[in-house]
Every structure is written in structure tokens, then in C-alpha cells.
Amino acid sequence: MLVGNTQLTQISKSYPVVIQNVLEYLNSIDKEQLALGRHELPGFDSKQAWFVVLEYNKEPLGNFKPEVHKYHSDLQIVLEGSEVMAWSLDTGTHTDAGPYNQERDLQFYEYAGVELNSIHAKHNQFYLFTPNTVHITNIENDDSQPVRKLVVKIHNDLLEAK
């Protein structure tokens, strides 16, 4: 897991190159004007990296199952509003809450044995959930404002995390 500022700074040079490139591109466009749904990332194979823009109302933690991905990492950026995100390291011992969804690269876990940490996700920050990070997002906080979020899906080969 990696947390950082969406604006490139001196510390950004320590991020994986793909993260630097994605942030550079995202900082060059008007994210407020992006339509909801899936978007291509120029310079990347559309099966290796893309992003989606989402809008939603936050929900209680109990409405979600912990999730993990095998082949992609999620780079999540809150564009408007704020939310709570929860995460835990994947120990490899968690109980599946159903079969792995290959098309969505998504595995849900039961809560038993998943010890969650919380993050208060805010504007101008990114949260990179790698395959060793179980996570839950879209969790309600102390305000009822809807959230507009951008989620970049990045194949782990691009992160050199295999």
C-alpha cells in the first residue's frame, strides 16, 4: 500500500514510474469535467491500465465485504467529498466469501481474521491498494456529502510487483 499527494513533488520521484506517469497525466486534465465510467490512459495498453470515474453515497462498513485483487492494483483518488477506507495486509489465510471473479479480478473475504485499519480519504491524496492489501472503500464518515472518485486499475506488471 502506498499513500501520497496527487500533486507531484520531490518525494514523488520515489514512487514507481507508472504512478508518476499516471499522476502526471491526471494532473494535466480537467478531472471535474470527466464523464462517469471507464476512460483510457494515453500511452498504456487498455488491458493493463485504465481508470473509472464514480459517484456514490457512502454506506456503513457492514454493507461491504473485504476485497483483494490478484493482478491489478487500485489507485484511488477522491475528487469531491471524503470517505473512510479500510485496509489490512493479506495474510493468505482469510476465508473466501465466494468464488474469485476472474473478469473483475476480485476476491471477497469474510470478516473473520481480517484486522482492518482506517484511513480518512480526502481530496488531493491517492491510495494505492496493491494485491497484498485487503481493502474496503466507500465507507461513511461524519458527513453525508456524496463522493466523486477516480479509480485507476494498474496491472502489477507495470508496478514490477509480480
Side-chain angles (χ1 to χ4, degrees):
M1 182 172 172
L2 178 65
V3 176
N5 192 300
T6 57
Q7 303 302 309
L8 295 173
T9 64
Q10 188 65 25
I11 194 74
S12 305
K13 293 177 183 173
S14 68
Y15 302 160
V17 172
V18 66
I19 301 301
Q20 294 176 51
N21 292 341
V22 165
L23 291 175
E24 185 176 342
Y25 171 72
L26 293 175
N27 285 326
S28 76
I29 63 172
D30 184 354
K31 293 178 285 303
E32 303 303 320
Q33 298 302 315
L34 288 170
L36 297 180
R38 184 179 170 135
H39 299 264
E40 303 298 319
L41 278 167
F44 290 96
D45 178 322
S46 64
K47 293 181 179 152
Q48 295 246 304
W50 67 92
F51 68 95
V52 293
V53 177
L54 308 164
E55 287 182 357
Y56 52 85
N57 292 311
K58 299 165 279 200
E59 298 181 38
L61 175 65
N63 289 4
F64 303 103
K65 294 270 188 200
E67 69 179 66
V68 69
H69 310 287
K70 290 184 180 183
Y71 303 106
H72 294 86
S73 293
D74 284 353
L75 179 79
Q76 302 206 11
I77 301 170
V78 174
L79 300 175
E80 294 176 20
S82 65
E83 68 180 41
V84 172
M85 297 179 177
W87 67 277
S88 178
L89 290 178
D90 190 348
T91 62
T93 61
H94 304 303
T95 303
D96 294 346
Y100 170 71
N101 183 326
Q102 185 172 354
E103 183 178 315
R104 294 185 60 206
D105 184 26
L106 181 61
Q107 177 66 61
F108 288 109
Y109 288 146
E110 296 294 342
Y111 274 96
V114 178
E115 296 182 26
L116 295 170
N117 301 284
S118 295
I119 300 169
H120 295 277
K122 298 182 172 126
H123 188 67
N124 290 330
Q125 298 175 351
F126 71 82
Y127 307 87
L128 179 69
F129 296 104
T130 55
N132 68 332
T133 310
V134 178
H135 57 283
I136 302 172
T137 63
N138 313 356
I139 305 167
E140 67 186 0
N141 56 7
D142 58 359
D143 74 56
S144 60
Q145 179 181 0
V147 172
R148 180 174 170 88
K149 182 165 61 176
L150 189 149
V151 179
V152 184
K153 300 296 281 188
I154 302 170
H155 195 281
N156 295 319
D157 287 348
L158 298 175
L159 289 166
E160 297 180 5
K162 299 177 182 172

